[in-house]
Amino acid sequence: MFDLPAYLDRNNERIAQTLRVLLDRSQRGGRLVEAMRYSLMAGGKRLRPNLCLAAAEAVGGNSHDALTAACAVEMIHTYSLIHDDLPAMDDDELRRGKPTCHIAFDEATAILAGDALLTMAFETFTSLPGCPPERCLEIAHIVAVAAGSRGMVQGQMLDMLSQGTALTLEELEHLHSLKTGALIEASLAVGALVGDGNPEQIETLRIYGRRVGLAFQVVDDILNVEGDPAVMGKAAGTDQLRLKNSYPAFLGLEKSRKFAQDLIRQALAAISAFDAKAAPLRAIAGFVVERNK
Ligand code: GRG
């Protein structure tokens, strides 16, 4: 039986250590780097970097080689959370169990910390240790597509525009495939590339990523209704307050849970041809639906 908590604990320590090293490159960063460090080191589940490491292992690579790329993905995720929490967006005061970046610092500093994390991520992708330049370029391109106007940022835009208006279920899925799914899918592609996976393996892992990414969002919506803010380290009940389209609003809680489980079954089916080296990916899929934060 694969011990996922031990796997995540071990990885999260390695991720934290690598992030510290990457941040320490900007030793004279002062307040800006302090704000970047504050949000980056505030914890979080580290789902995306763990998926990246697990994908590298699944294709027969060494997770150590994927650590730096995994951390760069986490920088992009953290930037998106800092900006999402700003007053102009979701206006949240609690994230990862701590005051959000703009509350702990100030709005301008939070904007700049997000900008600098996004930029640092691409500095990191384009100079991955031991990675041939053309592969670094391919990785940077994959993440840029997933994070920008064809991916996460566009998803955020659609989310903002759709508040208070009723989307169809198809439109909701499209929004989330961009806002949440694209970076999750990219995390897997990046890990598989660093691990020297072949195109077929990479495509299969992307399919797994799309299913897991959507399941993750469905569970996020469920937790927004019934999760415990003290456990999640962020507010609950906000989707209803902000008139956001969500899976529980569409399907109800029970059907949403079933939908998330179906998606996880599909994700597991996609990677059924992988051998035991995909055990972490199989366990993470289960964790995504069972999580309480
Ligand atoms: C502002 C450019 C820009 C994008 C924001 C990711 C995102 C897009 C907004 C976050 C808002 C949100 C609640 C999205 C739903 C799913 C999600 C990404 C939750 C947060 O991710 P977790 O649960 O966070 O992995 P931790 O803190 O565990 O890393």
Side-chain angles (χ1 to χ4, degrees):
M1 181 70 177
F2 184 75
D3 186 351
L4 184 66
Y7 177 85
L8 295 178
D9 281 352
R10 210 168 43 242
N11 276 352
N12 290 353
E13 187 43 50
R14 299 158 78 205
I15 291 163
Q17 178 54 27
T18 308
L19 285 172
R20 273 185 221 111
V21 171
L22 293 168
L23 277 173
D24 285 348
R25 286 178 182 171
S26 315
Q27 269 167 357
R28 277 192 288 269
R31 183 172 172 82
L32 176 63
V33 178
E34 218 185 295
M36 293 159 74
R37 192 186 310 275
Y38 173 82
S39 291
L40 203 49
M41 305 313 287
K45 295 178 288 297
R46 309 294 198 204
L47 172 71
R48 294 150 196 81
N50 272 290
L51 284 171
C52 186
L53 300 181
E57 289 167 7
V59 299
N62 179 340
S63 70
H64 179 79
D65 297 337
L67 255 180
T68 308
C71 287
V73 172
E74 184 67 11
M75 286 175 197
I76 295 189
H77 170 58
T78 303
Y79 124 74
S80 80
L81 298 181
I82 293 174
H83 281 194
D84 183 67
D85 290 334
L86 287 167
M89 297 213 191
D90 270 4
D91 196 10
D92 276 314
E93 300 197 345
L94 190 67
R95 171 70 69 182
R96 295 178 163 173
K98 294 172 75 174
T100 46
C101 194
H102 66 276
I103 298 289
F105 292 82
D106 57 74
E107 221 176 302
T109 305
I111 292 170
L112 294 175
D115 292 341
L117 281 171
L118 174 62
T119 315
M120 187 182 268
F122 284 98
E123 178 189 345
T124 308
F125 286 128
T126 49
S127 55
L128 294 172
C131 186
E134 63 278 10
R135 189 171 290 175
C136 287
L137 186 64
E138 189 178 354
I139 288 171
H141 185 258
I142 285 173
V143 180
V145 171
S149 59
R150 284 191 273 163
M152 182 178 72
V153 176
Q154 177 68 347
Q156 179 78 350
M157 188 76 228
L158 294 177
D159 193 21
M160 283 165 50
L161 292 174
S162 68
Q163 283 178 38
T165 66
L167 295 180
T168 64
L169 208 49
E170 248 176 20
E171 287 168 334
L172 185 63
E173 182 169 334
H174 176 63
L175 184 165
H176 288 313
S177 70
L178 297 177
K179 186 176 113 169
T180 315
L183 192 62
I184 289 181
E185 182 183 333
S187 310
L188 287 141
V190 168
L193 265 169
V194 177
D196 208 18
N198 64 42
E200 196 190 328
Q201 288 174 316
I202 294 169
E203 187 44 39
T204 303
L205 291 175
R206 278 182 174 274
I207 295 169
Y208 163 97
R210 286 200 278 278
R211 301 293 89 189
V212 164
L214 188 56
F216 180 85
Q217 181 61 54
V218 176
V219 173
D220 208 73
D221 286 359
I222 295 171
L223 290 174
N224 195 278
V225 176
E226 60 174 19
D228 179 353
V231 175
M232 297 192 293
K234 62 180 182 183
T238 53
D239 286 349
Q240 204 182 2
L241 272 177
R242 292 174 191 136
L243 302 175
K244 282 204 181 187
N245 291 274
S246 74
Y247 283 94
F250 256 105
L251 302 174
L253 283 169
E254 216 31 63
K255 280 194 180 150
S256 298
R257 279 189 208 102
K258 194 178 165 309
F259 181 44
Q261 280 154 3
D262 284 347
L263 289 164
I264 292 305
R265 268 191 286 277
Q266 291 167 24
L268 292 174
I271 57 167
S272 61
F274 279 78
D275 63 15
K277 291 193 289 299
L281 282 183
R282 295 190 173 98
I284 291 172
F287 163 79
V288 161
V289 275
E290 283 149 24
R291 71 196 175 98
N292 61 358
K293 64 178 184 174

